[in-house]
Structure formats: structure tokens, C-alpha cells
Amino acid sequence: MKWSLLELEKYRQEPLPLADTLDLKATLIERDPQIIDVSPIQVSGLISLDQETITTYVKMKGTLTLPSTRSLKPVALPLDFDFTEFYVPADQRKRAELDQEDTVIVLENATLDLDQAIVDNILLNIPMQVLTPHEREDEADMPKGNDWQVISEDAYDQLLEARKQQVDPRFAQLKGLFDESTDK
């Protein structure tokens, strides 16, 4: 999905509608070798031109297959999200009147390449923790070995709380040493 800026000039009055199915498997696996498989990505959206800004709104759906972060079993991760990006041609480096939160991308050549933006946004939307449905439900199957085990965050918080409430036996005799009720 590439357009030259001259092609996009035709759509200054009305936005350019997007509707396509992309096969980005090779590109995504090259960028992130942990990806096992990628279904065709359904893309829809709009490209609109203001005076000096090109605004893209893209909605995408598809499925990534990734290894579980716990057991390395394949997990199908559904993708269903949208993103908006703003582009400015290199000769018009002025920033449009956009919010401070918006990122404006400068187009170095006179081509808008949405494939690259779609790949980048897919990679950004991969969660840090990918679990199979069984792993999400059953936390008792956490990996363990000699003198170590993986525990959930809740179990860790409970362990810390229990340790805080325990009194070190070496200091147990000193507990009443500084009672406020005894004035000497």
C-alpha cells in the first residue's frame, strides 16, 4: 500500500478509502523471528490531506501465532486495533497544528508507505506476556526446578506481606525495650 504524494493530491477534496488484505508474513517474521505465523491482515481506513498534513486512519484485523512466554507452545493472538498517524512532506517540515501527543512523521521521499506503518504497529501491539488459555486459567502449572519456582504476582505480594509481619527472632527480645509507657 504505497502512494506517491502526487497520487494523493487527487484526494485533497475527499478522503481516500482503504480496503485491502495484506500478506505481511515474510516482513513480520523477518522483523521479529519469534513470530510463528501470520494470517492475512484485513486493512480498512482513510487517508485525508489537509493543507500540509497527510492523516491516515487504519483499522486492521488478523491473527498472529506466537510462542507462549511460559511454555513456548503456539498461541493464536487475535489482532483487532486501529491507529492514526500524521505525515508531512520533507519540503514542508512545519508542524501542523496538532496536539503535543501526536507524532508527525516526515516523509523523506515523496512516497507514503502504509505497509511499513502497519508492520510497525503490529509489532508494537504484541503483548509482553502471551499465554495459552490453559496457562491463563491454571496458575498451579507454573514452571519450577531445583530450588526455584515461578509464582504469580499475587502469590509474590502475599509472600512479601507474610515476611513483613514476621519478627526476626534475634530482635524479639528487644521488642519491649523502648515502650513509651516507661519513663526513666
Side-chain angles (χ1 to χ4, degrees):
M1 297 181 76
K2 294 181 183 182
W3 296 271
S4 72
L5 295 180
L6 292 175
E7 287 177 280
L8 290 175
E9 280 297 322
K10 295 186 243 176
Y11 300 98
R12 191 168 286 283
Q13 300 300 324
E14 281 189 34
L16 168 65
L18 302 175
D20 203 355
T21 301
L22 303 177
D23 182 15
L24 300 173
K25 181 177 179 176
T27 307
L28 282 164
I29 290 176
E30 180 182 319
R31 294 265 312 265
D32 187 355
Q34 288 188 350
I35 296 174
I36 298 169
D37 194 20
V38 180
S39 73
I41 307 295
Q42 296 174 353
V43 177
S44 61
L46 296 170
I47 299 176
S48 65
L49 279 75
D50 295 340
Q51 293 180 5
E52 48 190 47
T53 307
I54 301 166
T55 304
T56 61
Y57 171 75
V58 178
K59 180 162 183 52
M60 61 180 62
K61 289 184 179 186
T63 304
L64 284 181
T65 304
L66 297 163
S68 164
T69 52
R70 189 176 299 161
S71 66
L72 299 179
K73 293 178 184 174
V75 177
L77 178 70
L79 297 173
D80 187 3
F81 64 92
D82 53 61
F83 66 90
T84 303
E85 290 188 340
F86 303 95
Y87 297 90
V88 175
D91 58 343
Q92 299 176 356
R93 289 190 181 256
K94 294 185 259 178
R95 288 204 162 208
E97 297 172 10
L98 300 171
D99 294 337
Q100 293 291 350
E101 297 171 3
D102 296 330
T103 302
V104 178
I105 301 165
V106 177
L107 295 173
E108 296 302 328
N109 53 17
T111 305
L112 173 63
D113 183 5
L114 269 188
D115 288 351
Q116 190 63 36
I118 291 168
V119 168
D120 290 343
N121 280 284
I122 288 173
L123 292 173
L124 287 172
N125 279 286
I126 294 176
M128 294 294 289
Q129 188 177 51
V130 178
L131 300 173
T132 64
H134 175 70
E135 291 170 339
R136 264 188 253 125
E137 291 172 8
D138 190 15
E139 298 216 359
D141 285 345
M142 297 279 208
K144 54 183 144 189
N146 295 340
D147 299 327
W148 67 270
Q149 72 178 16
V150 177
I151 60 175
S152 68
E153 283 186 48
D154 293 334
Y156 178 72
D157 290 339
Q158 290 172 357
L159 182 66
L160 279 180
E161 191 62 36
R163 283 189 180 167
K164 284 181 186 177
Q165 293 180 6
Q166 283 181 344
V167 177
D168 189 343
R170 297 173 292 182
F171 299 115
Q173 294 177 355
L174 300 174
K175 186 175 181 181
L177 184 64
F178 293 109
D179 278 343
E180 294 178 14
S181 63
T182 56
D183 291 332
K184 292 186 180 181

